[in-house]
Amino acid sequence: TTSLPSVGGSTTTDYSGLANHGNLSSTSFSVFTTPPLGWSLYFNGSASVSVASTTNIDLTSTMTLMAYVYPTSLTASHIIISKGDSDVDRNYILEIDSSKKLRFSVGDGVSSQNVVTSTAMTTNTWYFVGASFDASSNTATLWLSTSQDFTSTITVNPAANTDKFVVGADNGGANRLTS
C-alpha cells in the first residue's frame, strides 16, 4: 500500500513494511482523490516517482506489473514503469511505445527481449495495463484493459541491477509519461 502526497509534497510513503518510499521529481503533480481510481497521480510529462534500488524491487523471476493509465498524448514513447535505463541494462520496463502499443521488456545485462501488444492505444481513454512474466515457463503475457492481448516466450531472464525503480519515466528521466 502506498500513501500519496498532498499536492506539492515531495515523497510517497510505502506502508507495505518494505520501506520502498518514493521521491517525486517535480512538485507539479496533481493528485486525484475521486473515482475511477481514488488516490492517483497525474503525470504531466515532466514528473516521475523514483524509488532507490533494493533487492525486493529487483524482480529477477516471476513478476507482474500493473497500472491504470489515461494517455493524453501518444506522440512518442511513454514509460509507465521501469527499472534500468538502457535495453540491455534494464531489469524490466512497461511502456507505451512509439507505435502506441503496450510493450514489456526484460534485460539480463547482455541482451533484452520485448513483447508488444497487437492493439494500439488511443488518447483520452482509461486503460488497465499489465505484464506478467512466468519464469518457470519463460512466458510473458500482456493485458490491455481487461483482455489478454498477447502472450509470447521470452528467453532472456531479467537480471538485477542497481538502477532506481521509476514510475512515469526511465531511470535517466527520459520518455516521461503524459497522462
Side-chain angles (χ1 to χ4, degrees), residues 4-176:
L4 297 176
S6 59
V7 176
S10 62
T11 62
T12 60
T13 302
D14 176 10
Y15 288 105
S16 70
L18 299 174
N20 293 321
H21 308 299
N23 295 307
L24 303 178
S25 66
S26 170
T27 57
S28 63
F29 274 101
S30 295
V31 177
F32 295 109
T33 59
T34 58
L37 302 178
W39 287 91
S40 58
L41 293 174
Y42 169 76
F43 291 87
N44 60 9
S46 65
S48 61
V49 177
S50 64
V51 177
S53 183
T54 64
T55 56
N56 58 35
I57 56 176
D58 264 334
L59 305 179
T60 58
S61 61
T62 297
M63 69 176 84
T64 300
L65 307 174
M66 298 181 293
Y68 279 95
V69 297
Y70 185 87
T72 57
S73 171
L74 291 171
T75 57
S77 176
H78 297 280
I79 294 180
I80 301 165
I81 300 169
S82 68
K83 177 79 169 66
D85 59 5
S86 71
D87 281 338
V88 295
D89 292 334
R90 191 167 280 135
N91 182 213
Y92 52 86
I93 183 172
L94 183 62
E95 71 176 320
I96 304 167
D97 71 11
S98 58
S99 65
K100 303 177 185 175
K101 296 180 179 181
L102 186 65
R103 180 174 81 105
F104 172 61
S105 177
V106 296
D108 63 6
V110 177
S111 62
S112 65
Q113 196 166 357
N114 304 313
V115 177
V116 180
T117 59
S118 56
T119 306
M121 299 169 76
T122 60
T123 58
N124 303 315
T125 302
W126 278 107
Y127 292 96
F128 165 79
V129 297
S132 65
F133 174 67
D134 182 344
S136 65
S137 64
N138 280 21
T139 302
T141 303
L142 292 174
W143 285 271
L144 189 56
S145 293
T146 57
S147 301
Q148 180 177 320
D149 189 275
F150 194 81
T151 300
S152 181
T153 300
I154 290 184
T155 56
V156 172
N157 287 311
N161 64 35
T162 58
D163 291 325
K164 297 177 284 190
F165 170 87
V166 183
V167 177
D170 67 16
N171 194 51
N175 299 316
R176 294 191 185 273

